């Protein structure tokens, strides 16, 4: 199966069907304003002239399709391009400043984090249960015991727990993943919208020799988007050969949604900030 990069159209598609039905909810990007309520917009990979009913708050939003011919009419539903809160940005900065790379290295070289261990299993139910147990144990006393330990680790997990408690829109978890006899560092971030109609997670897996694999999965009204990136060409080629199994597993999560998977070049800075996650997703 060939996996192609998503190409963003810049020309107005006049003859092609937008591939949608009346009542569909679509993610819309405004390219420019044409008239009082008419805009050049982009959705589903094509550009269209559309009449948009409602007070548009930004460049990215969810809209409902009201009419397709003789011209497209959309109704504004919800803004998508929200900014991170100052509180979230502050916690992210602090968490990164407490030697996260140092803790990740300890995970792969020490048995200190056995309470947080998530063994890789073939049984999907077993993997889910192991992950849930690990997340429940994201407590500094579970990690280190009541006798205490390295202050960098105490500080990191204390701040992580505070952040997860205060910001119910996102949660962060750092834990070891055991594959065969080796331990690897996993960094999991989970995001959700106010109404619960959109959710996503970012999973970064750090392997030996500095190899990284990043999975960004976004679920909304219409589909499941999975973006994969790695700094290893060998691993990328192996994963592309197994893309059919991945898409089958994703479809099992939500039978009524379309599934899309793509690979993008790995860039450290792209996945470093929470604010970049939605920018990656909207390009799908």
């Amino acid at each position: 199966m060939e996996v192609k990069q998503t190409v963003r159209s810049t020309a107005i598609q006049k003859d092609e069907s937008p591939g949608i039905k009346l009542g569909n909810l679509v993610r819309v990007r405004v390219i420019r304003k044409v008239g009082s309520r008419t805009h050049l917009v982009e959705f589903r990979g094509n550009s269209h002239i559309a009449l948009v009913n409602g007070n548009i708050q930004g460049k990215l939003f969810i809209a409902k399709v009201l009419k397709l011919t003789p011209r497209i009419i959309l109704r504004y539903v919800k803004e998508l391009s929200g900014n991170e809160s100052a509180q979230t940005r502050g916690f992210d900065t602090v968490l990164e400043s407490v030697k996260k790379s140092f803790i990740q290295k300890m995970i792969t070289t020490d048995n200190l984090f056995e309470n947080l261990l998530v063994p890789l299993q073939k049984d999907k139910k077993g993997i889910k249960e192991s992950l849930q147990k690990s997340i429940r144990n994201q407590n500094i006393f579970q990690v280190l015991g009541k006798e205490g330990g390295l202050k960098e680790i105490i500080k990191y997990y204390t701040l992580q727990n505070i952040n997860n408690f205060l910001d119910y829109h996102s949660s962060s978890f750092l834990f070891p993943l055991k594959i065969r006899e080796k331990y690897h560092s996993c960094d999991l971030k989970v995001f959700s919208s106010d109404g619960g109609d959109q959710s996503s997670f970012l999973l970064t897996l750090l392997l030996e020799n500095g190899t990284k694999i990043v999975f960004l999965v976004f679920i909304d009204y219409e589909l499941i988007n999975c973006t994969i990136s790695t700094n290893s060409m060998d691993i990328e080629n192996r994963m592309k050969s197994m893309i059919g199994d991945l898409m089958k597993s994703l479809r099992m999560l939500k039978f009524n949604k379309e599934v899309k998977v793509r690979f993008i070049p790995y860039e450290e800075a792209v996945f470093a900030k929470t604010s970049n996650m939605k920018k990656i997703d909207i390009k799908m």
Side-chain angles (χ1 to χ4, degrees):
M1 178 178 178
E2 183 180 0
V3 181
K4 296 182 179 180
Q5 293 285 347
T6 300
V7 178
R8 179 171 285 176
S9 170
T10 55
I12 302 175
Q13 306 293 322
K14 295 182 179 179
D15 300 322
E16 293 183 334
S17 168
I20 58 174
K21 298 178 181 180
L22 295 179
N24 279 172
L25 292 164
V26 293
R27 292 189 306 279
V28 179
R29 181 175 72 93
V30 177
I31 299 175
R32 66 174 181 269
K33 190 172 183 179
V34 178
S36 59
R37 289 191 299 143
T38 306
H39 298 77
L40 173 61
V41 299
E42 181 183 43
F43 57 88
R44 295 288 181 87
N46 292 322
S47 302
H48 309 275
I49 295 292
L51 177 66
V52 183
N53 293 333
N55 184 21
I56 299 176
Q57 302 295 320
K59 294 291 185 181
L60 301 173
F61 59 92
I62 293 290
K64 186 174 183 178
V65 180
L66 300 181
K67 195 172 183 181
L68 293 173
T69 58
R71 65 171 174 172
I72 296 174
I73 299 179
L74 305 173
R75 186 179 71 201
Y76 173 88
V77 175
K78 185 177 180 181
E79 174 70 17
L80 277 178
S81 56
N83 296 320
E84 295 175 88
S85 67
Q87 173 181 283
T88 302
R89 290 195 301 270
F91 268 113
D92 287 344
T93 302
V94 174
L95 286 173
E96 289 299 326
S97 69
V98 293
K99 300 183 180 180
K100 186 174 186 177
S101 61
F102 168 79
I103 298 172
Q104 289 173 319
K105 185 176 180 180
M106 285 198 66
I107 284 176
T108 59
T109 59
D110 201 293
N111 62 359
L112 187 63
F113 295 86
E114 285 188 354
N115 285 329
L116 301 180
L117 183 65
V118 179
L120 187 64
Q121 305 175 31
K122 292 183 179 180
D123 179 13
K124 294 179 181 179
K125 182 179 178 181
I127 295 174
K128 182 178 180 180
E129 290 176 350
S130 294
L131 180 59
Q132 289 175 335
K133 181 179 178 181
S134 172
I135 291 175
R136 285 196 300 268
N137 287 340
Q138 296 277 323
N139 178 293
I140 192 59
F141 294 108
Q142 291 285 346
V143 177
L144 299 174
K146 295 184 179 181
E147 295 180 0
L150 296 173
K151 63 179 181 180
E152 290 91 348
I153 300 176
I154 296 174
K155 183 178 180 182
Y156 180 86
Y157 278 97
T158 300
L159 288 172
Q160 177 181 276
N161 291 338
I162 294 173
N163 184 30
N164 293 343
F165 177 76
L166 293 178
D167 185 5
Y168 62 90
H169 290 299
S170 65
S171 299
S172 299
F173 305 99
L174 185 61
F175 54 85
L177 176 68
K178 186 178 182 181
I179 304 177
R180 295 187 177 93
E181 297 303 319
K182 292 185 177 180
Y183 296 83
H184 307 281
S185 173
C186 272
D187 189 2
L188 175 66
K189 293 183 175 65
V190 183
F191 311 94
S192 62
S193 63
D194 282 324
D197 44 27
Q198 299 169 16
S199 61
S200 59
F201 69 83
L202 175 69
L203 177 65
T204 303
L205 178 61
L206 179 61
L207 303 178
E208 62 271 14
N209 302 323
T211 300
K212 292 185 178 181
I213 308 174
V214 179
F215 297 90
L216 173 60
V217 179
F218 178 82
I219 303 173
D220 74 347
Y221 305 92
E222 306 167 302
L223 51 83
I224 301 174
N225 284 338
C226 180
T227 301
I228 305 173
S229 185
T230 177
N231 58 357
S232 168
M233 185 59 66
D234 178 58
I235 289 179
E236 181 174 326
N237 291 335
R238 288 166 60 187
M239 294 183 69
K240 283 182 177 179
S241 69
M242 302 172 66
I243 198 70
D245 292 335
L246 175 60
M247 294 187 71
K248 182 180 178 180
S249 296
L250 288 173
R251 287 193 181 99
M252 291 177 65
L253 297 175
K254 296 286 182 179
F255 291 101
N256 61 332
K257 296 182 186 293
E258 183 182 359
V259 175
K260 291 185 178 181
V261 178
R262 67 166 182 169
F263 288 80
I264 64 172
Y266 182 84
E267 293 182 30
E268 188 78 32
V270 171
F271 296 100
K273 295 182 179 180
T274 303
S275 58
N276 287 336
M277 297 303 99
K278 196 170 289 180
K279 295 177 184 177
I280 296 172
D281 289 321
I282 204 67
K283 291 180 181 179
M284 292 291 285

